[in-house]
Amino acid sequence: MRRFVTFLMPMVGFAVFAFIVYRAGPGRILSALSGIDWRGVLWAPLLILVIMTVRGARWRYVIQSLGIEYSLRRSTVVWVIGFFASAVTPAKAGDVVRAFYLRNDTGRPLGEAFLTIFVDRLWDIAFVLVAGAVSVLVFSARYMRVPSAPLVVAGVLVLGAAAVVATRREWVRLLVKPMASVLIPARFRDRLSMNFNTFYDALRVHGSRPVRAVVMAAYTLVCWMLIFALAIYVARLLSLPVRPAYIVLIMPIVTLVELLPVSVSGLGTRDAAVVFFFSVVGTGAAQAVGFSIVYVLIGTYLTALAGFLLWLRHPVRWRSEQP
């Protein structure tokens, strides 16, 4: 049953995407795509390279906060491989592959390696939650009243509270221990407990200097400004009559929708959100779908392709070679 659900959930996204394409009209979508500025596309690899490097640098900062030496080149390469893994898994779960590379490269405990991924992703989630809540409220006030806006904000607060709980060792222990005693075989419990404690010990080390939060906030802001710039860049490639400020407003909400674990790479859910928000400012469904397709091709699949090629060159070792 579990395997069936795992298989079925991504199919929901494909079904939604197929329905959106049918309603928008494949011919009209192709017509919207035919107007792309191909000379402008040449700048896409450079923009993606900058985004990848900044992402790698932020993760490297977390790693170095634990006293682990790791080069910017290697951190960027591994981040891109992790992005590929996340792009082909629901809710971007595959990103944890980075922890195995870090463990294998440095010989540090897996718990520490997972902590670096947790902190890196937590800052993204925090930004998207806060920006998403603000965007929903601003959109509801300026463009169209969203009856469920309070529910969205409440949901964001609940997720934020869950993230805070995840940073508390004793709270997580109380929640996980009953399930672990039933679901985890006895022979694995000692290693799991060791990695659990290593994870939270590393979290304490990382959080011991408040200035690190300031640096991570700055890195995160730069990362998301680049992502917003990518969305504006795609809109300009297609000559869409959508103001940059509006794109910046809706992208956090689109990203929240994209995180729903019912599709791969947000296929279908992202497109539905873009079609809705673009329709509010008078942009047709075909143009909106065209925007979504080009955005994911450049922002997701171009990066994922680089990650796949790097994966082939540097395959992950799931088992540690350490004694």
Side-chain angles (χ1 to χ4, degrees), residues 48-58 72 75-76 79-80:
I48 293 302
L49 179 61
V50 173
I51 293 174
M52 292 190 301
T53 303
V54 174
R55 291 284 200 176
R58 187 183 66 172
L72 176 60
S75 63
T76 302
W79 184 89
V80 176

Side-chain angles (χ1 to χ4, degrees), residues 38-52 230 233-234 237 294 297-299 302-303:
W38 291 105
R39 290 180 298 179
V41 173
L42 297 176
W43 291 99
L46 178 60
L47 180 55
I48 293 302
L49 179 61
V50 173
I51 293 174
M52 292 190 301
L230 173 64
Y233 164 75
V234 170
L237 286 179
V294 175
L297 284 176
I298 295 176
L302 181 59
T303 308

